[in-house]
Amino acid sequence: MSEKSIEDLPGVGPTTAEKLKEAGYRDLMSLAVASPSDLAEVAEIGEGTAIKIINAARKEADIGGFETGDTILERRKLVGKLTSGAKALDDLLGGGFETQAISEVYGEFGSGKTQIAHQLAVTVQLPRKEGGLEGQVVMIDTENTFRPERILQMATAFDLDPKETLQNIRVARAFNSHHQMLLAEKIAEMAKDTPIRLVIVDSLTAHFRAEFVGRGALADRQQKLNTHMHNLLRIADIHNAVILVTNQVQAKPDTFFGDPTRPIGGHIVGHTATFRLYMRKSKGDKRIARLVDSPNLPDGEAVFSVTKDGIRD
Ligand code: ADP
Ligand code: MG
C-alpha cells in the first residue's frame, strides 16, 4: 500500500498542495482520476504541469487490480463478527457486524442508532469467544452525543474494567463535513500503531445535509460523501475493522426522495454500505431492525431492546 501524499508528487509545492486540498483533491487516487483542465483551474497551474502531476499520481496511486476468487476467499476467512449484545440482531446480520465492511444504521430520531454505536464500542473490546474483536475504537461524533457515562454502564454489564474500556475509545468531535473527512483520513494514520477494530461515524450525514442545501449542491455533496465512504472502506479492508455509520431518514419528503423513510445520501451511501439496517421504535424499549440490503444474507427483521445494560434481546 502506497503511503505517499500529494505533496510528494513532482510539481506539487506547498501552495499547489493547499489549493488542491481545498478543491477536494486530498489523495493520490483523486488526482490519478482527475481531468487536466480541472486541475489546472483549481490549482492555478498550466495544463502541462497538471498532466505531469496526474501522470505521477497514476504511477503512485494504488489503483487496484484483479484478484482471483480464491485469494478473495482467503481474505474473507479473516472477516470477524462483532456482537451487538442481542442474539436476534446478530443472527439477522449472519453472526454480528462484519469487519471489512461498512454497516449503515439508519432511522428516525431516538430509534437507537447512537445506542448501537455505544454498545459496539464496548463489545468490540470483548474476547473473541464472547463475540468481541479484542480491539480498540475510534469514534467521530458529529452531534455531540457520545456519553462516557453510558459506556461505563455497558462495560460494567459485561464485567469489563470501566476505566480501561473508556481508555480504548478515542472520540473526536467533527465540527463540519470538511473536518469530518479530515478526521477519517487521520484514522488511517492512527490505525498503523493501534489495533483499531471499530470505527464509528455518528452521524455520517448530518453535517453534509446541513451544509449542502438545495439542488445545486447535490452533486458536490454526493461526490464528497463518496470520497469519505471510500476512505472508510479502505480502513475497513486494511485493518480488518468494522465500520459503523449512522444516518437519518428524510424528515419530510423533498424534491428528490419522496419517500419519508429513505435514508439520506441516496445511492452513494447505499451502494458503499455493505449492510444497511433500518431501525424503528416499537413499544416501550423495543426496537425493530430490518436488514435492507446485503450481498449474501436474506432480508429480514429482528426485535431487540435498549436497556440500562445496553442492547439486549
Ligand atoms: P438515535 O437513533 O437518535 O441516535 P439514540 O440511540 O440516542 O437515538 O436512542 C435514544 C434512546 O435510547 C432513548 O430514547 C432511550 O429510549 C434509550 N436509552 C438511552 N439511554 C438509556 C439508558 N441508560 N437506559 C435505557 N435506555 C436508554
Ligand atoms: Mg444519535
Side-chain angles (χ1 to χ4, degrees):
M1 201 49 64
S2 165
E3 302 293 353
K4 283 204 177 172
S5 62
I6 67 172
E7 283 93 343
D8 299 322
L9 295 173
V12 181
T15 319
T16 305
E18 196 52 44
K19 284 179 189 152
L20 288 174
K21 284 182 187 168
E22 217 147 85
Y25 296 103
R26 289 197 198 82
D27 53 23
L28 297 176
M29 181 62 82
S30 60
L31 286 176
V33 299
S35 88
S37 57
D38 269 4
L39 217 59
E41 195 186 320
V42 299
E44 293 165 39
I45 51 177
E47 265 197 40
T49 312
I51 290 169
K52 273 186 202 144
I53 293 174
I54 290 168
N55 285 337
R58 285 182 181 166
K59 271 194 203 136
E60 296 294 342
D62 179 7
I63 62 162
F66 295 93
E67 291 176 297
T68 54
D70 60 326
T71 310
I72 297 170
L73 182 64
E74 275 312 304
R75 194 171 61 241
R76 292 278 311 158
K77 280 184 190 155
L78 298 175
V79 167
K81 310 244 174 162
L82 172 59
T83 184
S84 65
K87 177 137 193 329
L89 184 53
D90 289 352
D91 287 347
L92 181 70
L93 292 166
F97 286 84
E98 275 192 9
T99 63
Q100 301 179 25
I102 297 179
S103 297
E104 176 198 1
V105 172
Y106 71 94
E108 63 174 324
F109 173 77
S111 58
K113 304 181 291 293
T114 297
Q115 296 305 310
I116 297 237
H118 280 70
Q119 182 65 84
L120 295 189
V122 172
T123 54
V124 75
Q125 303 187 39
L126 290 170
R128 285 178 191 266
K129 61 180 190 324
E130 289 173 43
L133 298 170
E134 295 165 21
Q136 301 190 13
V137 187
V138 178
M139 184 189 287
I140 299 178
D141 180 11
T142 74
E143 302 185 310
N144 198 20
T145 51
F146 174 73
R147 291 293 175 275
E149 301 85 345
R150 193 70 180 112
I151 297 291
L152 293 180
Q153 287 179 331
M154 293 178 174
T156 308
F158 272 108
D159 270 331
L160 287 166
D161 180 83
K163 191 167 170 220
E164 216 172 279
T165 307
L166 282 175
Q167 283 169 344
N168 287 330
I169 305 174
R170 289 169 178 77
V171 185
R173 282 283 307 278
F175 294 104
N176 54 47
S177 65
H178 183 70
H179 188 204
Q180 180 178 332
M181 291 178 77
L182 287 176
L183 286 169
E185 286 167 38
K186 213 173 150 181
I187 295 172
E189 283 290 305
M190 236 160 78
K192 277 180 209 156
D193 40 39
T194 316
I196 288 163
R197 292 285 170 269
L198 172 64
V199 173
I200 296 165
V201 186
D202 183 15
S203 132
L204 174 76
T205 48
H207 282 317
F208 288 92
R209 181 191 209 185
E211 290 164 30
F212 296 85
V213 182
R215 201 179 250 278
L218 192 66
D220 195 18
R221 181 185 84 179
Q222 295 303 82
Q223 195 230 320
K224 291 209 161 72
L225 264 174
N226 189 34
T227 303
H228 189 39
M229 291 287 280
H230 279 95
N231 283 336
L232 293 169
L233 200 51
R234 271 171 67 104
I235 301 170
D237 276 342
I238 298 171
H239 301 286
N240 199 22
V242 173
I243 312 286
L244 179 79
V245 302
T246 71
N247 195 357
Q248 295 139 304
V249 285
Q250 305 278 340
K252 53 177 192 285
D254 68 17
T255 23
F256 299 99
F257 314 105
D259 180 353
T261 65
R262 279 191 65 170
I264 297 171
H267 60 89
I268 295 286
V269 174
H271 286 175
T272 318
T274 316
F275 300 95
R276 311 194 87 185
L277 276 178
Y278 173 46
M279 306 233 298
R280 49 190 208 279
K281 288 189 236 184
S282 184
K283 283 203 184 98
D285 63 4
K286 296 257 187 307
R287 299 288 188 279
I288 301 164
R290 189 201 303 164
L291 185 65
V292 175
D293 230 340
S294 155
N296 60 335
L297 294 169
D299 288 4
E301 288 195 341
V303 181
F304 63 90
S305 300
V306 181
T307 73
K308 176 176 163 290
D309 287 346
I311 307 295
R312 294 292 183 273
D313 282 296

